[in-house]
Amino acid sequence: SSTLGAAAAGSGRYFGTAVAAGKLGDSTYSTILDREFNMITPENEMKWDTTEPSRGNFNFGPADQIVNHATAHGQRMRGHTLVWHSQLPGWVSSITDANTLRSVMDNHITTEMNHFKGRIYAWDVVNEAFADGGSGQHRSSVFQNVLGNGFIEQAFRTARAADPAAKLCYNDYNIENWSDAKTQGVYTMVRDFKARGVPIDCVGFQSHFGTGGPPAGFQTTLSNFASLGVDVQITELDIAQASPTAYANTVKACMNVARCTGMTVWGIRDSDSWRTGENPLLFDTGGNKKPAYDAVLSAL
Ligand code: XIL
């Protein structure tokens, strides 16, 4: 195949990118987007600070632009993200009453999922709920601190009721190395959810890597999670300086795991990246394919 999307589709997988609504009018950007990618994650437009800036006041305009573009170009969508401690408006983070916060969280999930019903392949229902470092526990957040450990389960149950056809994912970073306490914490949660029938379909590995690319045990991690009965995906891939070998190793880890169903890079050109100055993507600022692009295409 001659494009990332077509090559990934050859093994039943997808190849996606993060998209910013404000760039869709840039023809260099949209030409690459529509030629290479068959899955789209909104980079910011579905986050709480944009979609519900004040209580009960929903704004889906920017995300609608992206979803409409995807529909027109035959691309599928990953919804990102419903419950996250970051890019969260102050009116939510200042809630101290559990009943209020539970109802606010459930209403946010239900209203956003209903708006996009039928147009989202998979949702990142909860993003980055686990702490960095050695604890293996949830991080501090208004959801954790006010609702307790059960907030993740609550969010997934609410999401399943809102749109039973959407795949429901947990998404996080620094869970790629099997021996890390954070990885083990997420693994234990997913195992518990599957054992108790809490609805979860997939785990997203953000994969924001340094120059060396994935940790040695990355494929083991993907395969161990898949063995719990969930799909796994690489959801926000970028690699400092974009070494072709590091990119190829990442893609191969996914290709070697049957339930690794797709990969998404976190932006198109280096100038689109949130990692300013790290040149971590597959296209240069002029929109030209970088050596990492060819390495990825060969590995798919
Ligand atoms: C980033 C966006 O790329 C930036 O534009 C924004 O300023 C901050 O968020 N983990 C995630 C993504 O789940 O939503 C983040 O995206 C990158 C880290």
Side-chain angles (χ1 to χ4, degrees):
S1 291
S2 58
T3 69
L4 301 171
S11 68
R13 293 177 173 83
Y14 66 79
F15 206 98
T17 183
V19 162
K23 290 176 181 165
L24 289 171
D26 170 342
S27 65
T28 304
Y29 183 84
S30 58
T31 298
I32 301 171
L33 170 62
D34 298 336
R35 185 184 71 218
E36 300 286 343
F37 299 100
N38 51 20
M39 182 74 76
I40 290 176
T41 306
E43 187 171 0
N44 290 297
E45 292 80 352
M46 288 184 178
K47 295 172 181 175
W48 201 316
D49 57 357
T50 296
T51 57
E52 195 184 4
S54 62
R55 188 172 177 177
N57 167 26
F58 287 89
N59 169 28
F60 297 120
D64 282 342
Q65 278 185 52
I66 297 177
V67 177
N68 289 340
H69 181 100
T71 303
H73 295 88
Q75 293 144 329
R76 289 186 293 168
M77 291 289 311
R78 187 180 188 96
H80 175 79
T81 176
L82 296 165
V83 178
W84 187 27
H85 67 276
S86 186
Q87 291 177 272
L88 183 69
W91 71 267
V92 181
S93 48
S94 60
I95 294 172
T96 55
D97 175 66
N99 288 329
T100 304
L101 184 59
R102 193 177 304 106
S103 117
V104 158
M105 183 182 82
D106 287 348
N107 184 55
H108 182 78
I109 292 169
T110 303
T111 305
E112 184 159 350
M113 289 185 76
N114 271 336
H115 179 83
F116 295 109
K117 204 169 192 165
R119 303 206 287 172
I120 306 292
Y121 161 73
W123 275 103
D124 290 330
V125 177
V126 176
N127 195 36
E128 301 183 352
F130 277 73
D132 295 313
S135 78
Q137 303 297 310
H138 296 173
R139 74 166 67 234
S140 173
S141 73
V142 69
F143 303 107
Q144 177 66 27
N145 302 343
V146 175
L147 299 178
N149 282 330
F151 88 88
I152 304 179
E153 171 171 355
Q154 173 76 21
F156 275 85
R157 290 192 186 279
T158 300
R160 181 67 97 218
D163 184 355
K167 303 260 187 227
L168 307 182
C169 310
Y170 177 79
N171 193 57
D172 214 331
Y173 67 92
N174 283 355
I175 58 167
E176 293 85 10
N177 191 331
W178 178 243
S179 59
D180 283 354
K182 189 172 176 183
T183 309
Q184 293 299 311
V186 175
Y187 179 83
T188 301
M189 175 190 75
V190 175
R191 190 177 56 192
D192 170 61
F193 278 15
K194 295 302 284 184
R196 292 191 297 111
V198 179
I200 185 167
D201 305 305
C202 31
V203 176
F205 296 79
Q206 291 186 9
S207 307
H208 296 293
F209 293 139
T211 51
F218 186 37
Q219 188 181 311
T220 300
T221 302
L222 294 175
S223 142
N224 286 348
F225 273 85
S227 296
L228 293 175
V230 289
D231 290 335
V232 294
Q233 292 104 15
I234 294 171
T235 53
E236 303 183 13
L237 178 61
D238 49 22
I239 303 179
Q241 306 313 328
S243 142
T245 308
Y247 260 104
N249 288 341
T250 307
V251 171
K252 284 178 194 161
C254 180
M255 297 299 284
N256 287 337
V257 175
R259 290 197 76 158
C260 185
T261 57
M263 290 145 268
T264 292
V265 287
W266 205 242
I268 297 178
R269 302 160 301 191
D270 286 331
S271 48
D272 301 316
S273 175
W274 70 307
R275 295 172 68 175
T276 308
E278 294 193 85
N279 300 319
L281 294 174
L282 301 179
F283 295 86
D284 68 21
T285 293
N288 306 297
K289 296 170 181 174
K290 293 165 61 181
Y293 173 96
D294 297 304
V296 167
L297 191 61
S298 308
L300 285 169

